Amino acid sequence: MLLLLGCRSGSRAEAVPSAVPEAAAAPAVTAEPLSQMLALSKALTPQAPADNCGATYEIFVYSFFDSDGDGIGDLQGVEQQLPYIEDLGVSQIWLMPIFPSPTYHKYDTADYLSIDPQYGTMADFDSLLAACHGAGLRVILDLALNHTSTEHPWFQAAREYLLSLPEGEQPDPAACPYVDYYNFQTQAAGGYVSLGNGWYYEARFWSGMPDLNLSSAAVQAEIEAVAAFWLNKGVDGFRLDALTSYYTDSRPDSIAFLAWFTGVVKGIRPNAYLVGEAWTDQAAYADYYQTGIDSLFDFRFAGDEGVICSIVRGNRSAAAYAQELAAEEALYGSRNPGYINAPFYTNHDMARSAGYYAYDDGSKTKLALGLHLLMPGNAFLYYGEEIGMRGSGKDENKRAPMYWSDTDPTGLCQGPPAMDSVKMKFPPLDKQRQDPYSIYTYVKTALHIRGSFPAILRGATVPLDDLCSDTLCAFTRSYGAEEVFICINTAPEPAQIPLPEGADRLSAVLLVNEQPALLTDGVLTLPGYGVAVVE
Ligand code: CA
């Protein structure tokens, strides 16, 4: 008997395990197409994790699903697509900024305590949150604390006051407390923008994003109130934008602020989850783990210059995957023993991964996503990567509308205003759902494997150096009584791998096409670009 896990019918809870005799595990996978990529001897039934390990789906609401036909995605649209998200096999969603903002991306906040009307109402948010929790999905919100919008009332009040001051007169915080909320000065300097009347304000990213004065007690009190407002609503945590910019020239000060905010959040809800964006080199972002923050995005493995892409392109050996993982696990653990790695492969600031591999028939795109989703911790998947969407160049193109269908316009979004026409390479979701070897089916399978093995989520990576080579990576992970051996073939040709003693059950495979995996007399035959989980 083979496990059946239908794309369309199977929610996680409905994935029904079949009792599979040991003997049935050895032969090549046959019959049911989906089963060729799914479990051979183990039920793939992702458990809702008790901790914050798992997988998170990053959603740009603007481009995800439009519920009311105005061309802009919205919160009701996300709620309508929850069955899809749940079925994909993630445990959490990250909503990119949903607060009122003058920009389409909304990283410049005009009010931290309400919902942008383009996306809906607070009632829509409450409904979405309740629906997510009902489906066992956690929800984290994007919080940009480094800066606000120039349209935030704090900035507007400070601006009005400063422009009204007689030239040369010093501002009086008693007359306008908001002059302390930002960094104003009377000298031109790099990173500062002219306000008029001889005043300049700090705006490191863009003139529309004035940097907050995070040292101000009043600003800290405002931030504390924002965190409490959303956590008390039941939000499960935050994704923190631009950590390295908190104090642009001082990592210690940025770390101190993050430590303060982490303490605030954990003081309100100890199990709230925080993941931070410190877009810098690994040694530098590892330091931010000293704050006690749960997770930091693992930039080293991400994007078209990261470890994953380098290996799949053949520029680095397959062995580097396990070696790099083991090294970073030691590094992050030395800063915060309770850390949860936050691997991601792409995000809204990076070119879509389907463009990384020239002349790829989808195999390399799949394998790379497999490498990403086999990393421990809380893996972040950017919407649309599960179908190999395209989009590169300017930011708008990286945030193109979710490609649900090329025949059914329901829910399709128009995308960011200045987006170029983004030409897709792979079929839309509705077609990929019919294909047992689509990128979508591969990613869904990878997510279900990920959620089914606590050792994959939580175990430390131990490279099996004797089995590793330029195109072969083998390692173990253990958690509790569970030990898994993972073998990855990064070459297009099949590989024969003599497995260590005790690894005799082929438990799950991730395959890019019909070529099967086989375990006979202790030797694993792994097809090109194949991944096997052995117990
Ligand atoms: Ca809409």
Side-chain angles (χ1 to χ4, degrees):
M1 282 172 70
L2 287 160
L3 173 69
L4 290 175
L5 184 58
C7 272
R8 281 149 293 160
S9 63
S11 75
R12 283 178 291 169
E14 291 162 348
V16 181
S18 300
V20 180
E22 290 287 313
V29 198
T30 53
E32 301 299 331
L34 276 174
S35 304
Q36 294 183 13
M37 300 209 293
L38 291 171
L40 300 179
S41 66
K42 182 183 176 91
L44 288 190
T45 49
Q47 308 295 313
D51 57 19
N52 287 299
C53 290
T56 300
Y57 193 56
E58 179 190 356
I59 298 175
F60 180 40
V61 176
Y62 196 97
S63 284
F64 193 62
F65 193 89
D66 174 23
S67 74
D68 59 5
D70 68 354
I72 296 173
D74 43 57
L75 297 177
Q76 286 192 20
V78 175
E79 184 171 344
Q80 287 174 21
Q81 288 304 320
L82 278 190
Y84 167 73
I85 296 165
E86 190 189 359
D87 181 55
L88 193 57
V90 299
S91 51
Q92 178 167 271
I93 62 173
W94 153 24
L95 299 173
M96 284 168 60
I98 58 173
F99 312 135
S101 167
T103 59
Y104 80 89
H105 54 71
K106 309 194 194 298
Y107 274 99
D108 44 338
T109 307
D111 175 4
Y112 289 99
L113 300 175
S114 60
I115 303 295
D116 191 298
Q118 282 189 320
Y119 287 178
T121 64
M122 191 62 83
D124 293 337
F125 178 78
D126 292 339
S127 173
L128 171 61
L129 185 63
C132 286
H133 288 167
L137 291 166
R138 293 186 173 91
V139 179
I140 61 171
L141 299 185
D142 212 318
L143 204 47
L145 297 177
N146 176 66
H147 48 258
T148 69
S149 167
T150 47
E151 293 193 8
H152 197 291
W154 303 336
F155 188 81
Q156 292 284 315
R159 178 177 179 278
E160 189 179 341
Y161 174 74
L162 288 172
L163 293 183
S164 72
L165 277 185
E167 201 177 324
E169 187 171 314
Q170 283 305 301
D172 176 8
C176 178
Y178 301 108
V179 294
D180 275 346
Y181 276 40
Y182 300 88
N183 298 309
F184 294 106
Q185 62 184 39
T186 51
Q187 285 191 316
Y192 279 72
V193 175
S194 173
L195 183 73
N197 202 23
W199 287 95
Y200 296 84
Y201 62 96
E202 187 188 16
R204 299 283 174 172
F205 284 92
W206 166 55
S207 61
M209 290 178 166
D211 281 47
L212 280 166
N213 173 16
L214 298 175
S215 300
S216 152
V219 168
Q220 292 179 5
E222 301 272 14
I223 288 172
E224 200 164 343
V226 168
F229 176 82
W230 293 106
L231 291 170
N232 290 336
K233 257 188 184 296
V235 162
D236 298 282
F238 303 104
R239 177 267 182 190
L240 301 175
D241 185 57
L243 300 184
T244 59
S245 296
Y246 283 167
Y247 289 82
T248 299
D249 299 320
S250 171
R251 194 191 310 166
D253 285 341
S254 293
I255 287 174
F257 179 78
L258 179 63
W260 169 79
F261 185 69
T262 301
V264 165
V265 168
K266 301 289 183 180
I268 298 167
R269 178 127 44 89
N271 67 346
Y273 175 72
L274 290 175
V275 56
E277 178 208 27
W279 195 340
T280 177
D281 61 273
Q282 187 180 41
Y285 67 73
D287 278 350
Y288 284 79
Y289 272 122
Q290 296 167 24
T291 61
I293 192 170
D294 300 286
S295 296
L296 292 163
F297 287 118
D298 199 1
F299 277 88
R300 187 169 176 85
F301 279 72
D304 62 359
E305 293 179 346
V307 170
I308 290 173
C309 185
S310 300
I311 291 171
V312 175
R313 281 179 174 165
N315 296 336
R316 292 193 68 181
S317 78
Y321 178 71
Q323 290 161 355
E324 287 265 4
L325 281 174
E328 71 170 18
E329 288 162 16
L331 173 64
Y332 304 155
S334 73
R335 302 294 193 276
N336 173 9
Y339 87 100
I340 297 168
N341 196 16
F344 73 106
Y345 179 33
T346 64
N347 67 17
H348 57 279
D349 290 322
M350 292 180 173
R352 293 281 193 178
S353 72
Y356 292 179
Y357 309 103
Y359 309 110
D360 179 36
D361 65 358
S363 298
K364 290 181 178 178
T365 298
K366 290 173 195 166
L367 174 63
L369 285 160
L371 292 177
H372 163 51
L373 293 172
L374 288 169
M375 291 173 67
N378 185 3
F380 283 71
L381 180 72
Y382 185 43
Y383 82 96
E385 288 296 287
E386 75 272 30
I387 53 172
M389 277 173 57
R390 293 296 300 268
S392 60
K394 59 172 147 175
D395 283 344
E396 287 84 352
N397 302 351
K398 303 163 185 168
R399 304 162 187 174
M402 178 68 182
Y403 191 33
W404 300 102
S405 173
D406 57 3
T407 53
D408 178 1
T410 308
L412 293 184
C413 301
Q414 66 195 14
M419 186 184 75
D420 300 325
S421 172
V422 177
K423 188 167 165 43
M424 295 300 162
K425 175 178 179 180
F426 298 107
L429 175 71
D430 58 356
K431 295 203 167 61
Q432 292 202 29
R433 292 182 93 160
Q434 315 296 327
D435 176 1
Y437 295 103
S438 66
I439 296 169
Y440 164 77
T441 306
Y442 184 97
V443 167
K444 177 177 168 176
T445 305
L447 283 165
H448 281 245
I449 290 173
R450 174 180 189 78
S452 301
F453 293 88
I456 291 179
L457 281 186
R458 298 179 181 83
T461 304
V462 180
L464 298 173
D465 290 329
D466 292 348
L467 296 177
C468 289
S469 70
D470 279 354
T471 57
L472 206 60
C473 186
F475 58 92
T476 64
R477 277 199 204 127
S478 304
Y479 186 78
E482 183 179 79
E483 180 178 40
V484 296
F485 296 80
I486 296 179
C487 296
I488 301 162
N489 179 9
T490 65
E493 304 82 21
Q496 306 271 328
I497 307 141
L499 290 177
E501 197 82 0
D504 49 18
R505 191 170 52 154
L506 191 51
S507 293
V509 288
L510 266 175
L511 304 175
V512 299
N513 56 35
E514 299 83 349
Q515 297 299 312
L518 188 67
L519 177 53
T520 315
D521 299 331
V523 177
L524 174 68
T525 301
L526 202 49
Y529 305 120
V531 175
V533 179
V534 184
E535 289 176 283

